[in-house]
Amino acid sequence: SDLQEEGKNAINSPMSPALADVRPEDTQLEENEERMMIDPTSKEDPKFKELVKVLLDWVNDVLVEERIIVKQLEEDLYDGQVLQKLLEKLAGCKLNVAEVTQSEIGQKQKLQTVLEAVHDLLRPHGWALRWNVDSIHGKNLVAILHLLVSLAMHFRAPIRLPEHVSVQVVVVRKREGLLHSSHVSEELTTTTEMMMGRFERDAFDTLFDHAPDKLSVVKKSLITFVNKHLNKLNLEVTELETQFADGVYLVLLVGLLEDYFVPLHNFYLTPDSFDQKVHNVSFAFELMLDGGLKKPKARPEDVVNLDLKSTLRVLYNLFTKYKNVE
C-alpha cells in the first residue's frame, strides 16, 4: 500500500497533470522497470477516439467468421489469442501455437510466436516495431495501437485511419526504490504515406498542413481541368473526393486525355462494392502508367475512402501532363 501511495504521489506531483484511474499494478514496479499510461485528456481527444473505433471495427470485421467479438483492444488482445486469429486471417496462414493458454508464461510464449510472425512480415519493409511481448501483455494501449496500425497498413485494410493522431503518455519509472514520472508525446499516426514509409513529404502535405486557405484554389483549378474533358461526355464534377471515389470518372478521364475508348468490360460502370471501386481506381492507375505517367503517390484504397489529399495527387499528376490538351 505504501508503494501504491508513493506511485500515486509521483504521478500526481505538481509538475505533472493529474492522472485518473491509476491501476495498482501500474505502480508496483521492479527496480528500473517502467510503465506507460495514456493521459486521460488524450483519451478524450476526438481523433484518438476515432482511431480506436476504426481499428476496433476493422478487427471485428476481419474476425466475424471466427465468431470473435472484441470490445476493448487492451483487454482482448493482450494474451495473444485474438492476435493469433487476426494474423492468421489476414496472412492466410496457420501458426503453430496452443489454442488456449491460461498461465502467464504460456500466454507470453504464444504472444512471442505471434509477434515474431508479425515481425517477419514487417521487417523487410523497414517498419519501426514499437511494441514487444511485455508491452502487449502488459495491456499497453499505445503499443497495441502501434501494432494494429502497422498491420492495417501492411495488409491494406479497407479503412481510413485519421491522420496526425498523437497522445500524451505518462511514463512511470522506478529508480533506487523511488518512482519517477514524466510526460512524453507519442505519435500514433502521421499521414498515410508517411506511415507506410513509401513517400517523402510533398507540396500537398505542405498545402494541407500550412496553407489550407489555398486548398480551394487548387481544387477549383483541378475541377476546371477535369470538367473541360468530362463535359465531352456530358459529365460534370463538383466534388473531387466523392465523384472520383468509385474510379469511373477517373477511367473515363484517362481515356479522354489519351484519346482512346476504354472498353466497358474492363471496369465496373456502376460499382456497388468496395472491391469493385478499388478495381476501377487500380485500372485507372494502370492506364496512367501505360501513358508514361509516374506511379501515383496514393493507394487506390485511399481514393475509394474519400481521402482528398490522395485524390488531388492523382488528378494533379494528370493535370501536369495534360493541361494543354484540348
Side-chain angles (χ1 to χ4, degrees):
S1 60
D2 290 344
L3 185 59
Q4 183 178 339
E5 187 65 28
E6 182 183 344
K8 288 184 178 180
N9 289 337
I11 294 171
N12 295 322
S13 62
M15 296 299 292
S16 305
L19 185 71
D21 302 325
V22 178
R23 302 177 300 174
E25 59 266 32
D26 288 333
T27 58
Q28 296 172 354
L29 308 179
E30 300 294 332
E31 183 66 24
N32 294 322
E33 186 182 356
E34 71 175 36
R35 194 71 49 85
M36 297 175 64
M37 296 156 282
I38 298 177
D39 190 287
T41 55
S42 291
K43 284 188 174 183
E44 295 304 313
D45 183 87
K47 294 182 74 171
F48 174 79
K49 287 184 175 181
E50 181 187 356
L51 176 64
V52 172
K53 184 180 186 306
V54 167
L55 291 172
L56 189 62
D57 290 345
W58 171 62
V59 170
N60 282 320
D61 285 343
V62 173
L63 297 175
V64 64
E65 294 181 359
E66 301 290 330
R67 300 182 183 276
I68 294 174
I69 298 177
V70 176
K71 295 183 178 179
Q72 282 188 293
L73 295 177
E74 63 269 44
E75 294 295 332
D76 294 337
L77 271 64
Y78 80 97
D79 62 358
Q81 181 75 16
V82 174
L83 278 176
Q84 173 205 342
K85 297 295 184 182
L86 180 66
L87 183 61
E88 288 179 342
K89 198 73 176 176
L90 291 170
C93 65
K94 185 67 177 177
L95 299 179
N96 184 23
V97 292
E99 280 300 315
V100 180
T101 54
Q102 297 295 335
S103 68
E104 180 177 334
I105 294 177
Q107 289 174 352
K108 286 190 173 182
Q109 288 175 341
K110 179 172 189 170
L111 194 55
Q112 179 70 38
T113 301
V114 174
L115 293 184
E116 283 179 356
V118 172
H119 297 169
D120 289 341
L121 288 171
L122 301 183
R123 276 200 190 100
H125 302 287
W127 289 87
L129 308 180
R130 305 173 73 175
W131 58 83
N132 54 41
V133 171
D134 290 333
S135 62
I136 300 295
H137 194 269
K139 302 180 181 180
N140 183 327
L141 183 55
V142 172
I144 291 172
L145 290 174
H146 277 307
L147 172 59
L148 291 178
V149 166
S150 297
L151 287 175
M153 298 306 302
H154 177 77
F155 288 103
R156 295 176 174 264
I159 57 177
R160 183 180 180 184
L161 296 173
E163 298 184 349
H164 301 295
V165 180
S166 61
V167 293
Q168 288 296 315
V169 176
V170 181
V171 182
V172 181
R173 298 182 180 88
K174 186 174 183 180
R175 292 197 299 267
E176 298 179 353
L178 298 177
L179 292 179
H180 304 269
S181 67
S182 61
H183 281 67
V184 296
S185 180
E186 187 81 14
E187 192 166 36
L188 297 172
T189 68
T190 54
T191 63
T192 299
E193 300 87 348
M194 294 291 283
M195 285 192 297
M196 296 184 71
R198 294 166 60 193
F199 306 118
E200 299 293 333
R201 287 180 61 84
D202 61 11
F204 282 100
D205 290 307
T206 304
L207 180 69
F208 273 73
D209 294 344
H210 304 294
D213 54 312
K214 297 181 181 178
L215 182 60
S216 60
V217 178
V218 175
K219 289 175 67 176
K220 184 176 180 181
S221 297
L222 290 176
I223 287 175
T224 301
F225 165 70
V226 299
N227 281 334
K228 174 183 175 182
H229 300 281
L230 289 176
N231 284 165
K232 299 170 186 176
L233 298 178
N234 294 321
L235 301 174
E236 185 171 3
V237 171
T238 56
E239 290 292 333
L240 295 176
E241 62 267 46
T242 57
Q243 290 180 266
F244 280 95
D246 62 7
V248 176
Y249 279 15
L250 192 56
V251 171
L252 296 175
L253 178 62
V254 176
L256 288 166
L257 294 171
E258 282 287 326
D259 196 25
Y260 57 68
F261 175 75
V262 181
L264 299 182
H265 66 266
N266 283 95
F267 65 104
Y268 298 95
L269 197 57
T270 56
D272 57 8
S273 70
F274 182 85
D275 288 341
Q276 290 180 358
K277 294 175 183 178
V278 170
H279 168 86
N280 283 354
V281 178
S282 299
F283 178 57
F285 283 9
E286 292 175 13
L287 297 179
M288 292 167 67
L289 288 173
D290 290 342
L293 288 170
K294 294 181 180 178
K295 185 176 181 179
K297 289 187 175 183
R299 301 185 312 155
E301 292 86 351
D302 296 331
V303 176
V304 175
N305 280 324
L306 308 181
D307 182 63
L308 177 59
K309 191 188 298 183
S310 297
T311 304
L312 292 179
R313 282 194 175 107
V314 173
L315 295 176
Y316 188 75
N317 202 15
L318 292 170
F319 174 78
T320 53
K321 179 178 180 181
Y322 299 103
K323 58 185 175 183
N324 295 321
V325 173
E326 291 300 327

